[in-house]
Amino acid sequence: QLQLVESGGGLVQPGGSLRLSCAASGLTLDDYAIGWFRQAPGKEREGVSCITDSGKTAIYAHDVKGRFAISRDNAKNMSYLQINSLKPEDTGVYYCAADWDPGSYMCRLVSRRYPYWGQGTQVTVSS
């Protein structure tokens, strides 16, 4: 059973940066697409970014493109989300998720595709 644990969240001022980490255990991430999602208070969970198992393709939501960067290190069984130029509207709980999808050329920011989820890490952007 694949288990995911996020870390790296916190309170940051607008314009600041954070690096979120997603550590996997139980299985290796080699054949899994990784997605990062967030949920703001009172809002539905939304996709932020995803990356294919090979790391060759990354997808970003429109409002984070150019500010967020997803990466993965399969040797360490980790994924990362670098979030820069943070805005108050980036506040929320950030989740990483995994979808067994070996060799795919694409990943998708659709939460129902991902059967494995972490518990989330809180990101609060406020002055």
Side-chain angles (χ1 to χ4, degrees):
Q1 182 76 2
L2 183 64
Q3 296 179 326
L4 303 172
V5 178
E6 303 92 337
S7 61
L11 173 64
V12 62
Q13 292 185 342
S17 298
L18 286 172
R19 189 193 194 204
L20 308 183
S21 298
C22 174
S25 62
L27 294 170
T28 61
L29 283 178
D30 293 27
D31 293 329
Y32 290 81
I34 301 295
W36 283 88
F37 296 79
R38 68 185 179 189
Q39 188 165 19
K43 294 187 177 181
E44 293 187 356
R45 189 174 299 183
E46 63 176 352
V48 173
S49 181
C50 64
I51 188 168
T52 54
D53 64 330
S54 66
K56 292 181 179 180
T57 301
I59 304 294
Y60 297 92
H62 177 74
D63 59 345
V64 306
K65 197 173 294 184
R67 299 190 297 123
F68 289 16
I70 191 172
S71 62
R72 63 189 299 155
D73 185 337
N74 287 349
K76 295 182 178 179
N77 236 20
M78 297 286 293
S79 176
Y80 307 96
L81 186 68
Q82 178 70 39
I83 50 179
N84 302 319
S85 303
L86 279 160
K87 306 175 183 179
E89 51 264 42
D90 293 319
T91 294
V93 179
Y94 283 69
Y95 302 89
C96 69
D99 172 31
W100 191 79
D101 196 17
S104 178
Y105 291 100
M106 290 291 293
C107 57
R108 292 168 180 81
L109 293 176
V110 178
S111 60
R112 63 179 180 270
R113 290 188 60 92
Y114 294 81
Y116 302 100
W117 291 81
Q119 84 291 346
T121 186
Q122 176 71 45
V123 172
T124 302
V125 185
S126 176
S127 55

